[in-house]
Amino acid sequence: VHLVNAQTPEPVFNYDEAKVGTYTLPDPLIDAKGKPVKTRADWANRRKELIQLFAENVYGQTPKQAVKLRFQTTAVDSSALNGLAIRKQVSIFFIDYPKLPSIDVLIYLPKNNRASAAFLGLNFCGNHCVTTDATIPLSTRWMANTGEATITNQATGKARGMQARRWPVETIVKRGYALVTAYYGDIEPDHPKGWQGHIRSVLGDTTQPDNWGAIGAWAWGMSRILDYLQTEPKIDTKRIMSIGHSRIGKAALWAGAQDERFAAVISNESGEGGAALSRRWYGETVERINTSFPHWFCVRYKTYNKHVVDLPIDQHELLALIAPRPLYVASASDDQWSDPKGEFLGAMHTEPVYKLYGKTALGTTTFPTVNQPVGQTVRYHDRTGKHDVTDYDWEQYLRFADELVR
Ligand code: GTR
């Protein structure tokens, strides 16, 4: 992964369950005025309130104005992946902001007679790193330096296919799903000054403590890709899933929380500021993330660095905003920095909200053993291995999609 700021964990990070401490989580079904949320209609209001609370305190406000888009198909290959798929490349331009770079979308479509469900997820290192396909243009956008693959913040030929292992395109397409991806740095390069020349330089208000951060921008970008997909006849617009790993997983959750057109959300090791409860003192903390990555969240989030208990929300409520849609939260047992238990508990505490819809969320309060997926409308696994996206993870996501995103 690309660490923009070196991670120098200090003072000492807690990895001892006995030292997590006690905490009381805010109740998603008690509104800001202390009134209980009893019906789906009540929840519809509470939902808006929670989105506002996350905007004011965590991710910043997503600008509401509609932005005019122009979609330009730059390439189509009707026999990609040895004839298995249609590969399409589409650039999204901003009509009123011609200086902003386009979002360059790479799409693999199964050759079906019907519209396909799709996984929509941003990538870390350019569309050229998702596949070894040498006809995909090498992105010229800013990239974090990673040895030979990126030199002076530019991708080199060595970057081709670098993260192909994380994107099993062939398997996805064979299972009947489309894959839609774009480089997250097209929306905003991942460094403190990355907002300059990108969407946050033209929308939002930088003087405000709840001006949006990079995660907000990435989430917004996912919704703009979704806007494009609404026009793509080969995609079933009612079955588009938001998916993301780690920091991009945080964005995938925030995108799915705000934009109900996403039919389901998959969070792969999103950790702090994603699926993991903030009030647990375990692994990464609010203070650490705000220090390592000051540009990710709104300025007000930093005021909670030493006062996490004062947050009016916790991350289980972000997950609850996906209800009643299917949600997958995944952890890895060697990725304690992301706090697997905290991610499990985040998923678990969505239960009362799904219940309002007559649905079972996780349906268990027992942290599962490794490689044992659990849950119903909300699913969870803690696989063995490190911070990554593996075939095991995709196997579970495909089954989840087969069963729940029909
Ligand atoms: C880490 C960060 C995590 C996670 C991760 C990643 O350095 O502390 O919150 O976002 O990066 O994106 O891989």
Side-chain angles (χ1 to χ4, degrees):
V1 289
H2 309 267
L3 299 182
V4 171
N5 292 4
Q7 224 178 66
T8 43
E10 38 75 25
V12 181
F13 286 88
N14 180 44
Y15 288 116
D16 179 356
E17 198 53 43
K19 291 190 186 140
V20 161
T22 54
Y23 53 85
T24 308
L25 291 177
D27 186 339
L29 295 188
I30 307 271
D31 76 9
K33 293 200 188 85
K35 268 187 52 197
V37 173
K38 290 190 177 139
T39 63
R40 293 176 199 181
D42 293 345
W43 173 251
N45 291 324
R46 172 67 172 149
R47 224 188 150 271
K48 288 188 201 122
E49 184 178 80
L50 280 170
I51 288 176
Q52 252 325 297
L53 288 169
F54 277 102
E56 281 164 22
N57 298 287
V58 183
Y59 305 104
Q61 303 285 351
T62 305
K64 302 258 182 317
Q65 56 262 63
V67 171
K68 282 189 231 117
L69 307 175
R70 181 169 67 80
F71 307 129
Q72 187 178 327
T73 302
T74 55
V76 179
D77 176 352
S78 49
S79 64
L81 304 175
N82 297 317
L84 194 71
I86 300 167
R87 193 197 62 208
K88 221 170 154 174
Q89 294 175 79
V90 176
S91 291
I92 302 177
F93 293 93
F94 305 98
I95 292 172
D96 295 328
Y97 312 110
K99 287 197 178 129
L100 296 188
S102 55
I103 304 176
D104 298 336
V105 187
L106 172 65
I107 306 170
Y108 286 92
L109 296 157
K111 283 191 178 168
N112 282 342
N113 293 325
R114 52 185 172 78
S116 306
F119 293 94
L120 163 52
L122 300 175
N123 65 67
F124 276 93
C125 52
N127 294 341
H128 59 265
C129 81
V130 168
T131 152
T132 48
D133 183 340
T135 60
I136 292 173
L138 208 58
S139 172
T140 57
R141 304 281 162 75
W142 182 97
M143 308 265 164
N145 287 328
T146 51
E148 288 185 317
T150 320
I151 296 169
T152 58
N153 301 117
Q154 291 293 302
T156 73
K158 293 237 158 61
R160 286 199 179 281
M162 201 169 68
Q163 291 196 342
R165 204 182 35 78
R166 286 188 178 178
W167 300 92
V169 190
E170 222 176 286
T171 309
I172 294 168
V173 168
K174 279 189 178 150
R175 291 281 288 267
Y177 294 93
L179 177 69
V180 182
T181 188
Y183 173 47
Y184 80 141
D186 284 1
I187 306 157
E188 176 164 330
D190 191 358
H191 62 86
K193 289 184 177 157
W195 62 276
Q196 294 172 359
H198 289 77
I199 193 66
R200 287 204 290 135
S201 68
V202 295
L203 295 182
D205 181 349
T206 52
T207 66
Q208 296 304 310
D210 63 349
N211 185 45
W212 55 338
I215 290 173
W218 298 325
W220 178 92
M222 291 185 78
S223 285
R224 301 296 69 79
I225 299 173
L226 195 51
D227 291 342
Y228 164 70
L229 294 177
Q230 310 292 307
T231 72
E232 173 53 67
K234 289 197 156 43
I235 299 267
D236 181 348
T237 56
K238 297 242 167 344
R239 293 192 300 146
I240 300 171
M241 296 163 272
S242 147
I243 183 168
H245 171 58
S246 207
R247 65 196 69 183
I248 294 175
K250 305 178 211 293
L253 284 167
W254 182 226
Q258 296 174 95
D259 191 337
E260 292 179 279
R261 294 175 301 170
F262 284 108
V265 179
I266 301 166
S267 148
N268 194 86
E269 298 151 37
S270 59
E272 190 72 31
L277 294 177
S278 303
R279 280 170 176 72
R280 271 173 59 84
W281 184 48
Y282 194 99
E284 191 169 28
T285 60
V286 170
E287 181 174 20
R288 181 70 244 168
I289 206 166
N290 276 328
T291 309
S292 309
F293 307 102
H295 55 293
W296 283 3
F297 299 91
C298 74
V299 165
R300 184 173 288 126
Y301 197 42
K302 293 174 182 61
T303 63
Y304 298 102
N305 281 352
K306 297 202 185 314
H307 307 275
V308 182
V309 296
D310 292 343
L311 273 166
I313 44 72
D314 207 314
Q315 296 303 116
H316 62 303
E317 292 173 304
L318 177 72
L319 301 181
L321 288 169
I322 310 302
R325 296 164 291 164
L327 166 70
Y328 206 118
V329 174
S331 309
S333 57
D334 293 342
D335 179 22
Q336 293 296 312
W337 184 243
S338 293
D339 187 10
K341 178 92 182 284
E343 296 188 312
F344 171 79
L345 292 172
M348 188 185 101
H349 287 293
T350 64
E351 201 72 57
V353 179
Y354 280 84
K355 205 166 165 212
L356 276 183
Y357 289 88
K359 298 202 173 197
T360 301
L362 268 189
T364 176
T365 54
T366 309
F367 186 70
T369 49
V370 287
N371 305 326
Q372 282 302 320
V374 292
Q376 298 193 30
T377 309
V378 177
R379 296 193 182 181
Y380 176 84
H381 73 243
D382 182 29
R383 70 153 166 78
T384 43
K386 63 181 177 56
H387 188 62
D388 198 359
V389 189
T390 67
D391 286 348
Y392 178 88
D393 296 320
W394 272 104
E395 223 174 275
Q396 314 318 314
Y397 304 153
L398 286 163
R399 185 184 316 146
F400 161 81
D402 285 352
E403 293 176 6
L404 299 176
V405 189
R406 284 184 295 193

